[in-house]
Amino acid sequence: MTSRGSIALLLVLVLAGCATSPSGGGLSSLGHEVDVRPLRGQSVELLKQDDAACESWTRSTKGPNEPLPAAELRYSACAMSRGYSVKPWDHRISPPANPSPDLASVVADLQACGIKRGLYDAAGMVLLGAVEAGMTESRRAEAWACLTQRGYAVDFQPDARAESIRKK
């Protein structure tokens, strides 16, 4: 195969990979950050609409009375309430299928399972940019077990970002 043919084939493969991305194109930075994936066959257009609504809700709930301390968690709660699985760190979380939880229920479940506790180090300081690294192994295990007992599917899926945060 000529070098021109190789380049053309490579370009076709790259473009095909982009077209089949599970999250679709045009998502907000939060949508990409938490790796949103449809669970109910939502169209790309509906995914974009839900992403915009969740990003708006996430930004509007930031402040002293925010329901969850990190934007990734607030966005994840919103996306799960709309029927998406999310992967804010190194675990993919899918909401219960029946009954499908509303936003207030997802937020309450994340709060009750102590997800917020894992955001603080021993001195009580918020760990910026290293949320997952700040959770101790036992707190992580307790939180994931709690969510599982509440009907969420939690699947460990390490990635390069999570591993690099842990090593810092």
Side-chain angles (χ1 to χ4, degrees):
M1 184 180 281
T2 67
S3 65
R4 209 179 255 175
S6 298
I7 292 172
L9 178 61
L10 181 61
L11 181 60
V12 168
L13 291 174
V14 168
L15 291 175
C18 291
T20 59
S21 169
S23 296
L27 293 186
S28 68
S29 60
L30 283 169
H32 286 292
E33 184 71 22
V34 301
D35 189 16
V36 180
R37 298 213 176 150
L39 290 174
R40 299 183 188 136
Q42 296 96 323
S43 67
V44 172
E45 190 56 40
L46 181 57
L47 172 60
K48 289 178 184 179
Q49 291 172 11
D50 288 340
D51 171 65
C54 287
E55 180 185 30
S56 176
W57 180 81
T58 299
R59 293 187 190 290
S60 72
T61 57
K62 181 179 171 133
N65 296 319
E66 62 191 15
L68 295 164
E72 292 91 348
L73 283 176
R74 293 192 309 278
Y75 181 93
S76 293
C78 180
M80 284 190 286
S81 74
R82 292 169 178 260
Y84 297 91
S85 76
V86 296
K87 186 180 176 217
W89 306 298
D90 62 356
H91 285 74
R92 176 155 299 282
I93 308 167
S94 300
N98 289 315
S100 182
D102 61 13
L103 179 55
S105 297
V106 175
V107 169
D109 288 341
L110 293 175
Q111 290 171 337
C113 289
I115 299 295
K116 182 177 179 177
R117 285 183 320 158
L119 298 174
Y120 299 92
D121 65 12
M125 304 283 291
V126 175
L127 296 172
L128 301 174
V131 173
E132 181 69 3
M135 291 179 86
T136 65
E137 290 298 323
S138 63
R139 283 185 180 171
R140 244 192 316 267
E142 289 171 12
W144 303 141
C146 176
L147 285 175
T148 300
Q149 291 169 355
R150 291 170 180 263
Y152 292 79
V154 179
D155 183 33
F156 179 68
Q157 295 180 347
D159 59 21
R161 187 186 79 196
E163 289 305 313
S164 69
I165 290 171
R166 270 204 191 95
K167 291 178 182 176
K168 288 182 180 179

